[in-house]
Amino acid sequence: MKKLYIALSFAAISSSIYAQNNDTKSADKLFARYEYVKAANAYLKLVENDKADGYVYKQLADSYYNMFNTTEAVKWYAKAMETNQDAETYFRYSQMLKANGKYEESNKVMSKFAAAYPNDLRAKSFKENPNYIPKLLKKSPEYTVSALAINSEKSEFGALLKDNNLFFTSARNAAKKNYGWNNEPYLDLYKSTLGDGGNYSEPTAIASLNSQYHDGPITFSTDGKTAYFSSDSFRENLYTKNKASHLKLGKNNLYKATSNDGETWNDIKPLPFNSAEYSTSNPALSKDGRTLYFSSDMPGGKGGVDIWKVEIKADGSFGTPVCLGGNVNTEGNESFPFIAEDNKTLYFSSNGKQGLGGYDVFSVDLSKNSEAVNLGKPVNSEKDDFSFTFNGSKNFGYFSSNRNGNDDIFTATPICGVDVETIVTNSKTGEILAGAKVSILDSKNNVIATETSNDKGAVSFRVECDQAYTVQASKDKFEGNTFAIAKSKGPKASVDAKLNPIEEIVTPIEVVLQPIYFEFDKSNITQQGAFELDKLVQVMNDHKDMVIFVKSHTDNIGDDEYNLGLSDRRAKASVQYVISKGISADRISGQGFGEKEPVEKCDRCTKEQNAKNRRSEFLIVKK
């Protein structure tokens, strides 16, 4: 049903219609009237009677494409491909293959499309990154999703939460006339109340806005007294006559309504840029009420349906609609815009950008010249996913998908995460350090992930909210270091990883490392200890004649003999680690001294004094 908002509405006034030939006349008539269910049955009869050719197979496939019956669409597009077809048919076929998870086959068909339309943005994106699917599938989920209990057996989409009222568009009104596109009733606007327990009340139709044709989706001003919504242009008796098909051809248009109580809507007026020549639909109003975003196939766009915006002036008049740029729009279809409360993050759906199949939901920061980002699974799927909205105060949103066979509304709740960006630089010069090894560790010092800094010195990680983490950064010729990340609810955290040149830890008498910690009563090298000892390895690799003597010390807790043995085991463990990294055994040795040489001389030492006494020294015997 979402394809309604990428096409026109219609009303038949005659049964006469142009046909491809006498055999296809009946089926073509149904197809031209957008009665795809009946059209498909009529074309199937031609197939059964051996009267099918490449044209019939394409028409049959397109019928199923418009109904988003992906299995049947793939079947008949494959037959149509036995004869020459236009480039857009190849694109549709590739989309349906993706929707069935046949990515390799989809790429082959997309290659043919790209060869036919090399300057198309869709073709350029594909040629630049033909194997993008694995990266999308690997993307960490950002939301949990679940279907609403108030979904019906018919189409529901365009969900928007205003205060505690959920407004959405539905074809559930069985009393209305069926729309021939998919044999569902014409669309109406509905409202359901969200209760304290998370349950939704039984939806009720918004009688003061609904007409006998299609109505919805809707958007509201912050005070709830002004609404903009989509409806058929027949509401204002606006249409064109198609003489060839003897049809009245209407469009999806935008309307404004006002209300004093938020219940009854009055003064319904068409927006001044509506037209009988193109559609305007799917409105989204910015929080400040100054900009209205919408979708349209009006002239001046990239192609197909595009996302547009228009200024709403202080006196209530409108500026000139502006088509958003190539970061949003393609020669395919982009629709269902939603502008977030920050007034810069735009969510929209596209079948022209690289996705998992059908329509995917994307987001883009309009304040930057950045590419749109695919939201990934589970919001997106191999099917159609669209109409994403988000309520900041509730911290969840809605979208629609036909992944279960019908357009249903789903909630989308963010998985709390923090995007940690680390920039590695030379602490002395500020120089960007590319090729640095950067790891992120949890509170137990477990390494979660390790990446290499790019040419901008940057590495990004996504971690959980409300958890403390540590970033470790190291690079040849520099002293590795650790950087704490405090608990955060995100969405972002920055780490300025400044590394000192390695020579700064080399003094005339020793190599100065951070304290090397061991687990209680153990002498095995921990991850933290290994990170520090790697600095020593690097120094010794840079100074080929250097010889090191490791002295390990303990505090005065426990008896002398025990502490002496423990410190000796720890010294030798450190020595063995360095040797395991390729340093010759005759260049490093070690010994434990227990509690004999404290730096803090005390009988009843504090925790801080004990910590200072538990140490290792890396003395330079020969430099």
Side-chain angles (χ1 to χ4, degrees), residues 7 9 60 123 141 207 213 223 275 304 365 428 443 512 559 582 593 606:
S9 302
L60 183 54
Y213 296 106
D223 63 10
S275 172
D365 187 339
K428 300 302 179 182
S443 59
V512 181
D559 61 54
F593 288 80
T606 64

Side-chain angles (χ1 to χ4, degrees), residues 114-136:
Y117 275 7
N119 294 322
D120 190 294
L121 288 177
R122 296 167 293 176
K124 290 179 179 179
S125 295
F126 174 76
K127 287 188 288 187
E128 290 171 1
N129 188 17
N131 299 310
Y132 64 91
I133 290 292
K135 185 177 180 180
L136 276 182

Side-chain angles (χ1 to χ4, degrees), residues 604-621:
R604 302 182 66 179
C605 298
T606 64
K607 288 183 178 180
E608 290 76 17
Q609 289 173 320
N610 281 329
K612 289 181 180 180
N613 286 332
R614 293 192 300 267
R615 70 197 190 282
S616 291
E617 298 171 290
F618 301 89
L619 304 181
I620 300 173
V621 177

Side-chain angles (χ1 to χ4, degrees), residues 143-194:
Y143 298 87
T144 58
V145 305
S146 60
L148 291 190
I150 58 173
N151 286 319
S152 71
E153 295 180 353
K154 304 298 183 181
S155 294
E156 276 86 28
F157 60 94
L160 176 71
L161 191 66
K162 175 63 177 172
D163 299 323
N164 283 324
N165 292 316
L166 181 69
F167 295 86
F168 63 97
T169 302
S170 175
R172 66 180 63 202
N173 187 355
K176 294 189 79 169
K177 179 182 176 182
N178 274 12
Y179 185 51
W181 189 301
N182 59 357
N183 281 347
E184 284 193 354
Y186 277 72
L187 298 166
D188 273 341
L189 281 163
Y190 284 81
K191 182 177 76 172
S192 174
T193 301
L194 174 61

Side-chain angles (χ1 to χ4, degrees), residues 446-460:
N446 296 310
V447 176
I448 299 171
T450 300
E451 300 288 347
T452 301
S453 61
N454 60 23
D455 58 1
K456 296 180 180 179
V459 172
S460 295

